[in-house]
Amino acid sequence: MNLFVDTSVWSLALRRSRPQETPEVDLLATSLRRGDLVVTTGLVLQELLQGFHGPRARKTIIERFSMLPAITPDLDDHIGAADLRNRCRRKGLQVGTIDALLARLCIRHDLAMLTTDRDFAPIAVHCGLKLAGA
């Protein structure tokens, strides 16, 4: 399975104390051990760096993320994210700008999103986003 791992899962997995055991963190660990494709993007890295403090945490996160393939949104992705957000709004769903872009990247690159953020479930229902473990 090709995975895009959301900030919510990375945050749990990278805690200084023992990582919190959740099905999502377990799936991430299993996928990494098996050598499955696990993809990230700059927004996830940025969110993690903003949430963790200290030079050691910063260095560890950057080192780990430098080993992952990163996808970079292009102009079509931003247009597609706006379309996705508007489609959801017509269905009565409020979707944040970043969530719409991350969902768009997953759909475009045929990646299953691994997340603990429940905001992505309605996007999956209405816009074709695949959720890992769902």
Side-chain angles (χ1 to χ4, degrees):
M1 173 182 341
N2 297 334
L3 287 180
F4 178 92
V5 182
D6 182 42
T7 308
S8 62
V9 176
W10 282 118
S11 180
L12 293 172
L14 294 173
R15 294 198 177 192
R16 191 176 358 181
S17 59
R18 191 166 151 245
Q20 187 171 338
E21 291 186 29
T22 66
E24 295 83 7
V25 171
D26 292 342
L27 180 55
L28 171 59
T30 299
S31 296
L32 289 169
R33 273 195 307 275
R34 283 192 312 228
D36 294 347
L37 179 64
V38 175
V39 175
T40 193
T41 192
L43 285 169
V44 170
L45 176 59
Q46 180 181 339
E47 287 181 328
L48 283 170
L49 291 172
Q50 291 170 175
F52 282 81
H53 302 288
R56 175 180 266 165
R58 181 181 186 282
K59 181 180 180 200
T60 299
I61 291 168
I62 292 170
E63 284 174 355
R64 290 183 181 178
F65 271 70
S66 69
M67 295 182 249
L68 298 174
I71 50 178
T72 303
D74 62 17
L75 193 60
D76 287 338
D77 290 315
H78 291 282
I79 294 167
D83 292 343
L84 182 148
R85 192 167 186 258
N86 291 337
R87 194 171 338 127
C88 286
R89 189 174 54 224
R90 285 192 296 277
K91 302 282 186 184
L93 304 171
Q94 292 298 318
V95 175
T97 300
I98 291 174
D99 288 354
L101 182 58
L102 297 180
R104 162 61 184 186
L105 289 172
C106 289
I107 294 165
R108 176 179 170 208
H109 294 279
D110 195 28
L111 301 166
M113 180 179 282
L114 181 60
T115 186
T116 62
D117 185 341
R118 293 184 181 157
D119 290 343
F120 288 103
I123 299 171
V125 170
H126 295 289
C127 297
L129 172 66
K130 291 187 285 187
L131 296 176

